[in-house]
Amino acid sequence: MKIIRDLTDYHDKTPLALSLGMFDGVHLGHLSIINTLNKIAKKEHLESAILSFWPHPRKFLNPDDDVKMLNTLEEKLELLEKSGIQNIFLKTFDEEFRNLTGTEFCEQVLIQKLNVKHIIIGHDHTFGKNKSGNFELLKSLSDELGFKVNQLEAIQKNDLNVSSTKIRIALSEGRIKDANEMLGYNYPLTGKVIHGKKLGRTIGYPTANIEVPINKLLPKSGAYVVEVYIDNQFYKGMLSVGTNPTIDDKSKSLHTEVYILDFDQDIYDRQITIKFRDFLHDEIKFEGLEKLIEKLDEDKRLTQEFQF
């Protein structure tokens, strides 16, 4: 898979079958587009390509926007590579792109710069200044500019159209199974293990505190059943997202920490990967440590019994 980050230096005239969008989550809807793209590229002797942006255009439009993403850039590129896409154009959104109308974007970028011969677009995708670009515009320009265009219907799960927005909502409500169904994989989090207050070990539940990548979306505060991967070795885990109200009522900072079952190694400063499997319960402030430990014992039992 070729990754092209600067369109200015791109002079390859290889004809492309292309789709465009953020592809955040690379979920089942995205994979439907990509699979169609790959088939068309093979049939029409083109190379498959995606034009995306990084960081999210909202950060350019409003630098203070704390937009949270389903994927880090590394996760996104890994998922796209697994999908079989041959070319990824990663554009930094800027003032020039902001002011391109849908027609100008199509003419100047897709056709003149990238030599696109077939465009696949999602059911509700828009592009260009004031969202002036859409399927109808592409269709009206296709004959004049010499390209084909297809629009795909939305993929549905549980009678809902799969979208990055719906996955974010599911995660924000703790509906992990719904989110995973729409994604087509278990929602991941990879981060470095950092030093915490080490209070967990005093109650028999030592946890690994995870440094969450900036702009990575976390599910709602609470406790979760998770898969833990350390050097590709799988362990069962129970993860907490929250402010630890029982132990530290003053701090309002969010902590992400995981208790790894049947594990006692030193993993400080190492990268570990978490995959969310199920929601256990909301964050709870207990009357004392005894009640907290009782709940942790119950969470551990449920984690041990979970069918991974």
Side-chain angles (χ1 to χ4, degrees), residues 100-159:
L100 288 175
T101 65
T103 299
E104 289 169 339
F105 178 82
C106 189
E107 293 174 343
Q108 297 173 26
V109 179
L110 299 183
I111 306 307
Q112 294 173 16
K113 189 66 178 177
L114 301 183
N115 194 26
V116 175
K117 296 299 182 184
H118 205 132
I119 300 172
I120 307 294
I121 194 168
H123 75 286
D124 61 351
H125 188 73
T126 58
F127 58 92
K129 189 174 182 179
N130 299 324
K131 298 183 178 181
S132 55
N134 53 29
F135 175 70
E136 286 71 26
L137 176 70
L138 290 170
K139 193 71 178 169
S140 70
L141 294 172
S142 60
D143 287 340
E144 176 191 346
L145 298 179
F147 65 87
K148 299 176 184 177
V149 58
N150 291 87
Q151 185 176 42
L152 299 190
E153 293 298 318
I155 297 297
Q156 291 199 327
K157 277 286 179 182
N158 302 324
D159 296 324

